[in-house]
Every structure is written in structure tokens, then in C-alpha cells.
Amino acid sequence: KAGVTQTPRYLIKTRGQQVTLSCSPISGHRSVSWYQQTPGQGLQFLFEYFSETQRNKGNFPGRFSGRQFSNSRSEMNVSTLELGDSALYLCASKQGEANYGYTFGSGTRLTVV
Amino acid sequence: DAKTTQPTSMDCAEGRAANLPCNHSTISGNEYVYWYRQIHSQGPQYIIHGLKNNETNEMASLIITEDRKSSTLILPHATLRDTAVYYCIVRPEGTGRRALTFGSGTRLQVQP
């Protein structure tokens, strides 16, 4: 079966711009989580959506937002980009509630210049 | 979730067993031990999990001590493709509604 698909794979944006990243979960998976990974902070949880509703939220400023569509696809948006937003953004989908059920995509590498 | 402690890095020779330790001395009775790994520039990948019995699957074995205060992930015949960061996570099952959080993990370098 197809895995978690994230687009685009690479992105370069200018400080102050906004960006939208996309995640297509595995078919049948209703939960989508987003993570930010940087060399200094490691993997940090951004938010999770389940059946189009945000179920959990990490400790990130309001510039980071997301949404989930009825087909479970999810997007995350970062407005007013800062240099520190340069990171690998990872999306994970999950079918049930098991802690072992996460399947991650390969991520979108965002560079802010 | 119980706090875990892992070595920052480890080396292993290709073809030999890689033994990755994890200390979780404050583990509660209903908490499982989960292992994920992240190969460079990819997302984390689930490996194995267990409660108190030793577990084995096609990827690895998990040995949990009798007092459950520590565990070891074993890759029986490490290959260069096993070079990755390995994360040990301890949390109760059925907590999938809460976000999965990752610590710093152990960076395993498999040497040719």
C-alpha cells in the first residue's frame, strides 16, 4: 500500500513569506500528526488532526497552523517565516490509537533565507 | 510518560549484533517500551514494542529486564542500512490520543 506522501520534498522561501506543506496519509488512516525537526531541538510535536479536528497541539506560536480535509489529507501553514523555521517537517498518519501505529513520511525540508 | 535515558552514540561493526540500551527506572506497571528509528533525512520508523516479555520480530529483538527498569534493543546482524538514530519511548498503551514525543535517542553508526 502507498505510504505517507509529503509534498513538496524541498522548499526555499524568503523570510516574511508564508508556506503551505501537504501530507497525504495512508488510505484509511484518520489521524495525521506534524513534527518539526531541527539539529538543535530534535523532533518536536506541532499538532495532530483527527477527523478534521485538531486533537493535540504542541508548544509553537500561532504562526504555525494546520487543517485536515474530509479525505484525511492535511496541510500545515507557516506564516511570516523566520530563519529559525528552517527545518525538516514530518507528517505521520495513524489508523487507530496504538502507539506503535505511526507511519511517517519522508518530510519536507524547508529552508528560509 | 516515563523518563528514558539512552547513550548519545554507539558504534557497531557490520555483521555483528548491535545492542542498544535504554534505562527507564521510573516505568509504571502499565507502560510499554517502544522503539522507533530514524534513518538520515527520513521519518521515524516503528521497530518493536513490549511490556515485560522479550519480543522478537523480523527487524529486531527487545529484551526487558525482570524489574522492567531497563531494556535492550538488539539488531542481530547489523548492516550499514541500520545506521540511524534509535529512540526508546515508554508510555502506557491506549494513549494514542496523546502526541508521541521523542527524546534525543542513540545515534548508531555501523562501521564496514
Side-chain angles (χ1 to χ4, degrees):
Chain A
K1 59 182 177 181
V4 177
T5 303
Q6 291 189 247
T7 56
R9 274 295 268 135
Y10 302 92
L11 202 51
I12 300 176
K13 287 288 189 177
T14 304
R15 194 170 43 181
Q17 286 186 314
Q18 68 93 25
V19 67
T20 300
L21 311 182
S22 179
C23 173
S24 293
I26 291 174
S27 178
H29 286 197
R30 296 164 64 190
S31 163
V32 173
S33 299
W34 288 90
Y35 289 80
Q36 181 196 66
Q37 186 169 34
T38 59
Q41 299 296 321
L43 268 165
Q44 291 194 291
F45 172 73
L46 278 156
F47 30 65
E48 182 207 1
Y49 285 86
F50 182 85
S51 294
E52 302 179 66
T53 301
Q54 188 179 87
R55 185 162 71 171
N56 288 298
K57 188 176 188 304
N59 189 26
F60 277 82
R63 299 186 297 108
F64 292 82
S65 63
R67 60 178 175 169
Q68 186 179 33
F69 302 95
S70 58
N71 62 356
S72 293
R73 190 177 71 85
S74 178
E75 290 180 345
M76 68 161 282
N77 184 278
V78 188
S79 62
T80 320
L81 283 166
E82 301 176 359
L83 296 179
D85 297 333
S86 295
L88 179 66
Y89 289 88
L90 290 160
C91 160
S93 76
K94 185 157 68 82
Q95 183 173 33
E97 304 296 2
N99 291 314
Y100 56 80
Y102 289 85
T103 302
F104 282 80
S106 295
T108 294
R109 183 162 297 281
L110 172 66
T111 302
V112 182
V113 297
Chain B
D1 300 350
K3 179 177 164 53
T4 61
T5 304
Q6 298 179 251
T8 303
S9 63
M10 295 182 65
D11 284 345
C12 175
E14 189 176 20
R16 303 298 293 268
N19 298 290
L20 293 97
C22 179
N23 183 287
H24 33 79
S25 58
T26 61
I27 191 170
S28 300
N30 66 340
E31 290 186 307
Y32 284 69
V33 180
Y34 299 86
W35 284 85
Y36 278 77
R37 76 177 180 183
Q38 185 176 21
I39 295 170
H40 182 61
S41 292
Q42 295 182 26
Q45 172 192 27
Y46 164 77
I47 302 173
I48 197 168
H49 74 285
L51 181 64
K52 54 183 177 182
N53 298 318
N54 298 337
E55 302 288 345
T56 296
N57 63 19
E58 65 279 4
M59 290 182 67
S61 294
L62 174 61
I63 308 297
I64 302 174
T65 57
E66 193 167 341
D67 64 6
R68 304 209 321 121
K69 293 183 185 301
S70 66
S71 60
T72 301
L73 178 74
I74 301 173
L75 308 178
H77 305 286
T79 70
L80 298 179
R81 287 191 299 270
D82 292 321
T83 292
V85 177
Y86 288 77
Y87 299 97
C88 170
I89 300 167
V90 174
R91 64 178 356 205
E93 184 49 61
T95 54
R97 288 177 176 268
R98 292 193 288 110
L100 191 65
T101 55
F102 296 83
S104 303
T106 296
R107 184 171 299 277
L108 175 69
Q109 180 70 49
V110 180
Q111 307 283 359

